[in-house]
């Protein structure tokens, strides 16, 4: 049987290169944007951090999409499906390798944030003091940041498991349905995906609106329960995905 660590290393290698290329592109775009601002009107207070943060959001979205594509390719390719390992190990290793690479990407973005914050420290400190008041402590700021990261990673996992559920369900139904019926089932499943994505986005916006409660301490329990709920839904989808992968999903020749 193929070892878990060896499989994780092989799956992560290609994704590591992909994320590094994305990081290079992100840093280049940030640098070009700031150089353009410097050449045309000068860099304003807070602009360095603002530009880094804005392009970072775009880069995070691209990283999610690119890693999603890498995840889905594994399930129907002979390269991995014909290895001597169980489908459960394949699925979990595949998901974990992308999660590790996304966390790596997040850590590098955090380093970029810290560099940009050092440049705009005076401006940002004054802005936070104005927004939060003089009693806003470092501990409270840390709690909000940790809450953001945990919720973000939970939603990333849920997003990947939901995408995999629809992809695997479509692959399974296509193996049993005649060609004339496939398009209808696929359309129905894609509608379900769109609905789920809209619900997740709505949930995310709702949680962001409740971060004021998190800072005050009153909404911490509610926030943690929501994180647990997201992970439970993702766990259910993982079980369904592995079941479908074992029973009905066939490989596509490379």
């Amino acid at each position: 049987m193929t070892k878990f660590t060896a499989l994780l290393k092989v799956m992560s290698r290609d994704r590591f290169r992909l994320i590094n290329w994305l990081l290079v592109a992100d840093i280049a775009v940030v640098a070009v944007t700031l150089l353009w601002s410097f050449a045309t009107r000068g860099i304003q207070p807070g602009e360095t951090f603002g530009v880094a943060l804005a392009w970072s959001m775009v880069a995070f979205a691209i990283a999610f999409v690119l890693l999603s594509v890498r995840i889905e390719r594994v399930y129907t390719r002979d390269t991995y499906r014909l290895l001597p390992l169980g489908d459960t190990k394949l699925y979990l290793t595949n998901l974990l390798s992308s999660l590790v690479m996304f966390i790596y990407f997040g850590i590098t973005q955090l380093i970029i944030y810290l560099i940009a914050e050092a440049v705009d420290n005076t401006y940002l400190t004054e802005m936070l003091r104005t927004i939060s008041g003089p009693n806003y402590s470092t501990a409270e700021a840390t709690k909000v940041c940790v809450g953001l990261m945990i919720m973000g990673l939970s939603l990333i996992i849920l997003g990947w498991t939901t995408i995999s559920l629809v992809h695997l369900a479509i692959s399974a139904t296509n193996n049993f349905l005649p060609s004339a019926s496939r398009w209808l089932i696929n359309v129905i499943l894609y509608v379900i995906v769109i609905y789920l994505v809209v619900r997740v986005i709505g949930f995310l916006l709702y949680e962001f609106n409740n971060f004021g409660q998190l800072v005050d301490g009153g909404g911490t329990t509610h926030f943690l329960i929501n994180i647990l709920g997201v992970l439970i839904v993702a766990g259910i989808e993982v079980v369904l995905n592995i079941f479908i992968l074992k029973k009905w999903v066939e490989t596509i020749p490379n």
Side-chain angles (χ1 to χ4, degrees):
M1 292 291 288
T2 304
K3 291 184 178 180
F4 171 80
T5 52
L7 183 61
L8 181 64
K9 182 178 179 180
V10 170
M11 286 186 173
S12 299
R13 187 181 299 120
D14 175 62
R15 301 173 202 200
F16 182 70
R17 288 195 297 266
L18 182 69
I19 290 300
N20 283 336
W21 277 112
L22 181 58
L23 284 170
V24 170
D26 179 41
I27 294 172
V29 171
V30 170
V32 169
T33 303
L34 291 175
L35 285 173
W36 176 261
S37 295
F38 178 77
T40 55
R41 54 181 173 76
I43 298 177
Q44 305 301 312
E47 186 174 359
T48 300
F49 186 83
V51 169
L53 181 63
W55 282 115
S56 174
M57 296 301 101
V58 176
F60 268 115
I62 295 174
F64 175 80
V65 172
L66 293 177
L67 290 174
S68 298
V69 172
R70 290 299 189 277
I71 289 174
E72 300 311 310
R73 285 180 177 175
V74 168
Y75 300 135
T76 55
R77 293 298 184 270
D78 288 343
T79 304
Y80 292 104
R81 291 298 302 281
L82 298 183
L83 289 174
L85 69 149
D87 290 318
T88 300
K89 181 188 289 187
L90 174 67
Y91 182 90
L92 294 178
T93 308
N94 189 24
L95 184 62
L96 179 61
S97 63
S98 283
L99 182 61
V100 169
M101 288 303 102
F102 196 87
I103 292 174
Y104 162 69
F105 182 75
I107 292 173
T108 57
Q109 290 299 309
L110 178 60
I111 294 173
I112 295 174
Y113 294 161
L114 292 175
I115 295 173
E117 192 276 336
V119 174
D120 289 327
N121 179 265
T122 303
Y123 176 84
L124 293 175
T125 300
E126 184 62 31
M127 183 180 69
L128 288 174
R129 185 181 293 112
T130 302
I131 294 174
S132 59
N135 297 323
Y136 190 72
S137 66
T138 302
E140 291 169 335
T142 302
K143 183 171 68 173
V144 173
C145 290
V146 171
L148 272 171
M149 289 186 291
I150 295 175
M151 176 56 78
L153 287 176
S154 300
L155 290 171
I156 290 297
I157 294 172
L158 178 61
W160 282 336
T161 57
T162 301
I163 291 172
S164 294
L165 179 60
V166 175
H167 175 222
L168 294 175
I170 289 175
S171 298
T173 54
N174 285 345
N175 291 332
F176 296 100
L177 295 174
S179 300
S181 303
R182 289 179 183 176
W183 70 270
L184 179 60
I185 299 298
N186 290 348
V187 168
I188 293 174
L189 290 173
Y190 279 123
V191 169
I192 293 174
V193 173
I194 294 173
Y195 172 76
L196 290 174
V197 169
V198 170
R199 289 298 300 269
V200 169
I201 292 174
F203 176 78
L204 178 60
L205 293 176
Y206 173 78
E207 291 304 328
F208 282 162
N209 289 330
N210 282 290
F211 269 118
Q213 295 181 7
L214 180 63
V215 173
D216 295 333
T220 304
T221 302
H222 172 72
F223 186 74
L224 293 176
I225 289 174
N226 283 327
I227 292 176
L228 181 61
V230 170
L231 293 177
I232 289 174
V233 173
I236 294 172
E237 290 184 343
V238 166
V239 173
L240 291 174
N241 288 337
I242 294 173
F243 179 77
I244 296 173
L245 190 63
K246 285 182 177 181
K247 298 296 183 180
W248 293 305
V249 177
E250 298 179 358
T251 62
I252 299 173
N254 293 329

